[in-house]
Amino acid sequence: MLLLALGCLLIGCGAKNRPDGVLNEDKMVAILIDIHLTEGFVQALPIPYDSSKRLYPILEKEIFEKHAVSDSVYLQSLQFYLRDAIKMEELYARTIDSLTVIEKRVEQPAQR
């Protein structure tokens, strides 16, 4: 019995459990991918900076709607993951890998 209690304590203390209301890693990466794609899209538009500052929040809202997540849940999740530099680095590595794959897919037809 003591061994079981000690094991539960070690598992509980050793793992950084994701609290309720924090997005899982896969969902977080999917949202980060869409956010970066949207930022790139807005920056590439031939519109004044003032206009892009007004457009981005509208598109960002659409991202959250697409993923059925509120902006507050996203921000809470981002703050949670930012507390663990290694975990955040892993999430961004996955995000960058996915963006690279998307970029290669877009570039391939242009090269043919």
Coordinates of all heavy atoms in Angstrom, one line a residue, residues 18-67:
R18 N -1.8 18.8 -17.4 CA -2.5 19.9 -18.1 C -3.8 20.1 -17.3 O -4.6 19.3 -17.2 CB -2.8 19.4 -19.5 CG -3.3 20.5 -20.4 CD -3.3 20.1 -21.9 NE -3.6 18.7 -22.1 CZ -4.8 18.2 -22.3 NH1 -5.9 18.9 -22.2 NH2 -4.9 16.9 -22.5
P19 N -3.9 21.4 -16.8 CA -5.1 21.7 -16.1 C -6.4 21.7 -17.0 O -6.2 21.9 -18.2 CB -4.9 23.1 -15.5 CG -3.6 23.5 -16.0 CD -3.0 22.5 -16.9
D20 N -7.5 21.6 -16.4 CA -8.8 21.8 -17.2 C -8.8 23.1 -17.9 O -8.3 24.1 -17.3 CB -10.0 21.7 -16.3 CG -10.2 20.2 -15.8 OD1 -9.7 19.3 -16.4 OD2 -10.9 20.1 -14.8
G21 N -9.3 23.2 -19.1 CA -9.4 24.5 -19.8 C -8.1 24.8 -20.6 O -8.1 25.8 -21.2
V22 N -7.1 23.9 -20.6 CA -5.9 24.1 -21.4 C -6.0 23.2 -22.5 O -6.3 22.0 -22.4 CB -4.6 23.9 -20.5 CG1 -3.4 23.9 -21.4 CG2 -4.5 24.9 -19.4
L23 N -5.7 23.7 -23.7 CA -5.8 22.9 -24.9 C -4.7 21.8 -25.0 O -3.6 22.0 -24.5 CB -5.6 23.8 -26.2 CG -6.6 24.9 -26.4 CD1 -6.2 25.8 -27.5 CD2 -8.0 24.3 -26.7
N24 N -5.1 20.7 -25.5 CA -4.0 19.6 -25.7 C -3.0 20.1 -26.7 O -3.2 21.0 -27.5 CB -4.6 18.3 -26.0 CG -5.3 18.2 -27.3 OD1 -4.7 18.6 -28.3 ND2 -6.5 17.6 -27.4
E25 N -1.9 19.4 -26.8 CA -0.8 19.8 -27.6 C -1.2 19.8 -29.1 O -0.8 20.7 -29.8 CB 0.4 18.9 -27.4 CG 1.0 19.1 -26.0 CD 2.1 18.1 -25.6 OE1 2.7 17.6 -26.6 OE2 2.3 17.9 -24.4
D26 N -1.9 18.8 -29.5 CA -2.3 18.7 -31.0 C -3.1 19.9 -31.4 O -3.0 20.5 -32.4 CB -3.0 17.4 -31.3 CG -2.1 16.2 -31.1 OD1 -0.8 16.4 -31.2 OD2 -2.6 15.1 -31.0
K27 N -4.1 20.2 -30.5 CA -5.0 21.3 -30.8 C -4.2 22.7 -30.8 O -4.4 23.5 -31.7 CB -6.1 21.4 -29.8 CG -7.2 22.4 -30.0 CD -8.1 21.9 -31.2 CE -9.5 22.4 -30.9 NZ -10.4 22.0 -32.0
M28 N -3.3 22.8 -29.9 CA -2.5 24.0 -29.8 C -1.6 24.2 -31.0 O -1.6 25.3 -31.6 CB -1.6 23.9 -28.5 CG -1.0 25.2 -28.1 SD -2.2 26.4 -27.6 CE -1.2 27.8 -27.4
V29 N -1.0 23.1 -31.5 CA -0.2 23.2 -32.7 C -1.1 23.5 -33.9 O -0.7 24.4 -34.7 CB 0.6 21.8 -32.9 CG1 1.2 21.8 -34.3 CG2 1.6 21.6 -31.9
A30 N -2.2 23.0 -34.0 CA -3.1 23.3 -35.1 C -3.5 24.7 -35.2 O -3.5 25.4 -36.2 CB -4.4 22.4 -35.1
I31 N -3.8 25.3 -34.0 CA -4.1 26.7 -33.9 C -2.9 27.6 -34.2 O -3.0 28.6 -35.0 CB -4.7 27.1 -32.5 CG1 -6.0 26.4 -32.4 CG2 -4.8 28.6 -32.4 CD1 -6.6 26.5 -31.0
L32 N -1.7 27.2 -33.7 CA -0.5 28.0 -34.0 C -0.2 28.0 -35.5 O 0.2 29.0 -36.0 CB 0.7 27.4 -33.2 CG 0.7 27.7 -31.7 CD1 1.8 26.8 -31.0 CD2 0.9 29.1 -31.4
I33 N -0.4 26.8 -36.1 CA -0.2 26.8 -37.6 C -1.1 27.8 -38.3 O -0.6 28.6 -39.1 CB -0.4 25.4 -38.1 CG1 0.6 24.4 -37.6 CG2 -0.5 25.3 -39.6 CD1 0.3 22.9 -37.8
D34 N -2.4 27.8 -38.0 CA -3.3 28.7 -38.6 C -3.0 30.1 -38.3 O -3.1 31.0 -39.1 CB -4.8 28.4 -38.2 CG -5.3 27.1 -38.9 OD1 -4.7 26.7 -39.9 OD2 -6.4 26.6 -38.5
I35 N -2.6 30.4 -37.1 CA -2.2 31.8 -36.7 C -1.0 32.3 -37.5 O -1.0 33.4 -38.1 CB -1.9 31.9 -35.2 CG1 -3.3 31.9 -34.4 CG2 -1.1 33.1 -34.9 CD1 -3.1 31.8 -32.9
H36 N 0.0 31.4 -37.7 CA 1.2 31.8 -38.5 C 0.8 32.0 -39.9 O 1.3 32.9 -40.6 CB 2.3 30.9 -38.2 CG 2.9 31.1 -36.9 ND1 3.7 32.2 -36.6 CD2 2.9 30.4 -35.7 CE1 4.1 32.1 -35.3 NE2 3.6 31.0 -34.8
L37 N 0.0 31.1 -40.5 CA -0.4 31.2 -41.9 C -1.2 32.5 -42.1 O -1.0 33.2 -43.1 CB -1.3 30.0 -42.3 CG -0.5 28.7 -42.5 CD1 -1.5 27.6 -42.7 CD2 0.5 28.8 -43.6
T38 N -2.0 32.8 -41.1 CA -2.8 34.1 -41.2 C -2.0 35.3 -41.1 O -2.2 36.3 -41.9 CB -3.9 34.1 -40.2 OG1 -4.8 32.9 -40.4 CG2 -4.8 35.3 -40.2
E39 N -1.0 35.3 -40.2 CA -0.1 36.4 -40.1 C 0.7 36.6 -41.4 O 0.8 37.8 -41.8 CB 0.9 36.2 -38.9 CG 0.3 36.3 -37.6 CD 1.2 36.0 -36.4 OE1 2.3 35.4 -36.7 OE2 0.9 36.2 -35.3
G40 N 1.1 35.6 -42.0 CA 1.9 35.7 -43.2 C 1.0 36.2 -44.3 O 1.4 37.0 -45.2
F41 N -0.2 35.7 -44.4 CA -1.2 36.2 -45.4 C -1.5 37.7 -45.3 O -1.4 38.4 -46.3 CB -2.5 35.4 -45.2 CG -3.6 35.9 -46.1 CD1 -3.7 35.7 -47.5 CD2 -4.7 36.6 -45.5 CE1 -4.7 36.2 -48.2 CE2 -5.7 37.1 -46.3 CZ -5.7 36.9 -47.7
V42 N -1.7 38.1 -44.1 CA -2.0 39.5 -43.8 C -0.8 40.4 -44.2 O -0.9 41.5 -44.8 CB -2.5 39.8 -42.4 CG1 -2.6 41.3 -42.1 CG2 -3.9 39.1 -42.2
Q43 N 0.4 39.9 -43.8 CA 1.6 40.7 -44.1 C 1.9 40.8 -45.6 O 2.4 41.8 -46.1 CB 2.8 40.1 -43.4 CG 2.8 40.3 -41.9 CD 4.0 39.6 -41.2 OE1 4.8 38.9 -41.8 NE2 4.0 39.8 -39.9
A44 N 1.4 39.8 -46.3 CA 1.7 39.8 -47.8 C 0.7 40.6 -48.6 O 0.9 40.9 -49.8 CB 1.7 38.3 -48.3
L45 N -0.4 41.0 -47.9 CA -1.4 41.8 -48.6 C -0.9 43.1 -49.0 O -0.2 43.8 -48.2 CB -2.7 41.9 -47.8 CG -3.5 40.6 -47.6 CD1 -4.7 40.9 -46.6 CD2 -4.1 40.1 -48.9
P46 N -1.2 43.6 -50.2 CA -0.8 45.0 -50.5 C -1.7 46.1 -50.0 O -2.3 46.8 -50.7 CB -0.9 44.9 -52.1 CG -2.0 44.0 -52.4 CD -1.9 43.0 -51.3
I47 N -1.8 46.1 -48.6 CA -2.6 47.1 -48.0 C -1.8 47.8 -46.9 O -0.8 47.3 -46.5 CB -3.9 46.4 -47.3 CG1 -3.4 45.3 -46.3 CG2 -4.8 45.8 -48.4 CD1 -4.6 44.7 -45.5
P48 N -2.2 49.0 -46.6 CA -1.5 49.7 -45.5 C -1.5 49.0 -44.2 O -2.4 48.2 -43.9 CB -2.3 51.1 -45.4 CG -3.1 51.1 -46.6 CD -3.4 49.7 -47.1
Y49 N -0.5 49.3 -43.4 CA -0.3 48.7 -42.1 C -1.6 48.9 -41.2 O -2.0 47.9 -40.5 CB 0.9 49.2 -41.4 CG 1.1 48.7 -40.0 CD1 1.6 47.4 -39.9 CD2 0.9 49.4 -38.9 CE1 1.8 46.8 -38.6 CE2 1.1 48.9 -37.6 CZ 1.5 47.6 -37.5 OH 1.7 47.1 -36.2
D50 N -2.2 50.0 -41.3 CA -3.4 50.3 -40.5 C -4.5 49.3 -40.8 O -5.2 48.9 -39.9 CB -3.9 51.7 -40.7 CG -2.9 52.8 -40.2 OD1 -1.8 52.5 -39.8 OD2 -3.3 54.0 -40.2
S51 N -4.6 49.1 -42.1 CA -5.7 48.2 -42.6 C -5.4 46.7 -42.1 O -6.3 46.0 -41.7 CB -5.8 48.2 -44.1 OG -6.2 49.5 -44.5
S52 N -4.1 46.3 -42.2 CA -3.8 45.0 -41.8 C -4.0 44.8 -40.2 O -4.4 43.7 -39.8 CB -2.3 44.6 -42.1 OG -1.4 45.4 -41.4
K53 N -3.8 45.9 -39.5 CA -4.0 45.8 -38.0 C -5.5 45.6 -37.7 O -5.9 45.0 -36.7 CB -3.5 47.1 -37.4 CG -2.0 47.1 -37.1 CD -1.6 48.3 -36.3 CE -2.2 48.4 -35.0 NZ -1.7 49.4 -34.1
R54 N -6.3 46.1 -38.6 CA -7.8 45.9 -38.4 C -8.3 44.6 -38.9 O -9.2 44.0 -38.4 CB -8.6 47.0 -39.1 CG -8.4 48.4 -38.4 CD -9.1 49.4 -39.2 NE -8.8 50.7 -38.6 CZ -9.7 51.6 -38.3 NH1 -10.9 51.4 -38.5 NH2 -9.3 52.8 -37.8
L55 N -7.6 44.1 -40.0 CA -8.0 42.8 -40.6 C -7.6 41.6 -39.8 O -8.4 40.7 -39.6 CB -7.4 42.7 -42.0 CG -7.6 41.4 -42.8 CD1 -9.1 41.2 -43.0 CD2 -6.9 41.4 -44.1
Y56 N -6.4 41.6 -39.2 CA -5.9 40.5 -38.5 C -6.8 40.0 -37.4 O -7.1 38.8 -37.3 CB -4.5 40.7 -38.0 CG -4.0 39.5 -37.3 CD1 -3.6 38.4 -38.0 CD2 -4.0 39.4 -35.9 CE1 -3.2 37.2 -37.4 CE2 -3.6 38.2 -35.2 CZ -3.2 37.1 -36.0 OH -2.8 36.0 -35.3
P57 N -7.3 40.9 -36.5 CA -8.2 40.4 -35.5 C -9.5 39.7 -36.0 O -10.0 38.7 -35.4 CB -8.6 41.6 -34.7 CG -7.5 42.6 -34.9 CD -7.0 42.3 -36.3
I58 N -10.0 40.1 -37.1 CA -11.1 39.5 -37.7 C -10.8 38.1 -38.2 O -11.5 37.1 -37.9 CB -11.7 40.3 -38.9 CG1 -12.2 41.7 -38.4 CG2 -12.8 39.5 -39.7 CD1 -12.4 42.7 -39.5
L59 N -9.6 37.9 -38.8 CA -9.2 36.6 -39.3 C -8.8 35.7 -38.1 O -9.1 34.5 -38.1 CB -8.0 36.7 -40.2 CG -8.3 37.5 -41.5 CD1 -7.1 37.7 -42.4 CD2 -9.4 36.8 -42.3
E60 N -8.2 36.3 -37.1 CA -7.9 35.5 -35.9 C -9.2 35.0 -35.2 O -9.2 33.8 -34.8 CB -7.1 36.4 -34.9 CG -6.6 35.7 -33.7 CD -5.9 36.6 -32.7 OE1 -6.5 37.6 -32.3 OE2 -4.8 36.3 -32.3
K61 N -10.2 35.8 -35.2 CA -11.5 35.3 -34.6 C -12.0 34.1 -35.4 O -12.5 33.1 -34.8 CB -12.5 36.4 -34.6 CG -13.8 36.1 -34.0 CD -14.8 37.2 -34.0 CE -16.1 36.8 -33.5 NZ -17.2 37.7 -33.7
E62 N -11.8 34.1 -36.7 CA -12.2 33.0 -37.6 C -11.4 31.8 -37.2 O -12.0 30.7 -37.3 CB -12.1 33.4 -39.0 CG -13.2 34.4 -39.5 CD -13.0 34.8 -40.9 OE1 -12.2 34.2 -41.7 OE2 -13.7 35.7 -41.4
I63 N -10.2 31.9 -36.9 CA -9.3 30.8 -36.5 C -9.9 30.1 -35.3 O -10.1 28.9 -35.2 CB -7.9 31.2 -36.3 CG1 -7.2 31.6 -37.6 CG2 -7.1 30.0 -35.6 CD1 -5.9 32.3 -37.4
F64 N -10.2 30.9 -34.3 CA -10.8 30.4 -33.0 C -12.1 29.7 -33.3 O -12.4 28.7 -32.7 CB -10.9 31.5 -32.0 CG -9.5 32.0 -31.6 CD1 -9.3 33.4 -31.4 CD2 -8.4 31.2 -31.4 CE1 -8.1 33.9 -31.0 CE2 -7.2 31.7 -31.0 CZ -7.0 33.0 -30.8
E65 N -13.0 30.3 -34.1 CA -14.2 29.7 -34.5 C -14.0 28.4 -35.2 O -14.7 27.4 -34.9 CB -15.1 30.6 -35.3 CG -15.6 31.8 -34.6 CD -16.3 32.9 -35.4 OE1 -16.3 32.7 -36.7 OE2 -16.8 33.9 -34.9
K66 N -13.1 28.3 -36.1 CA -12.8 27.1 -36.9 C -12.4 26.0 -35.9 O -12.8 24.8 -36.1 CB -11.6 27.4 -37.8 CG -11.1 26.1 -38.5 CD -9.9 26.4 -39.3 CE -9.2 25.2 -39.9 NZ -7.9 25.5 -40.6
H67 N -11.6 26.3 -34.9 CA -11.2 25.3 -33.9 C -12.1 25.1 -32.7 O -11.8 24.4 -31.8 CB -9.7 25.6 -33.5 CG -8.7 25.5 -34.6 ND1 -8.2 24.3 -35.0 CD2 -8.2 26.4 -35.4 CE1 -7.4 24.5 -36.0 NE2 -7.3 25.7 -36.2

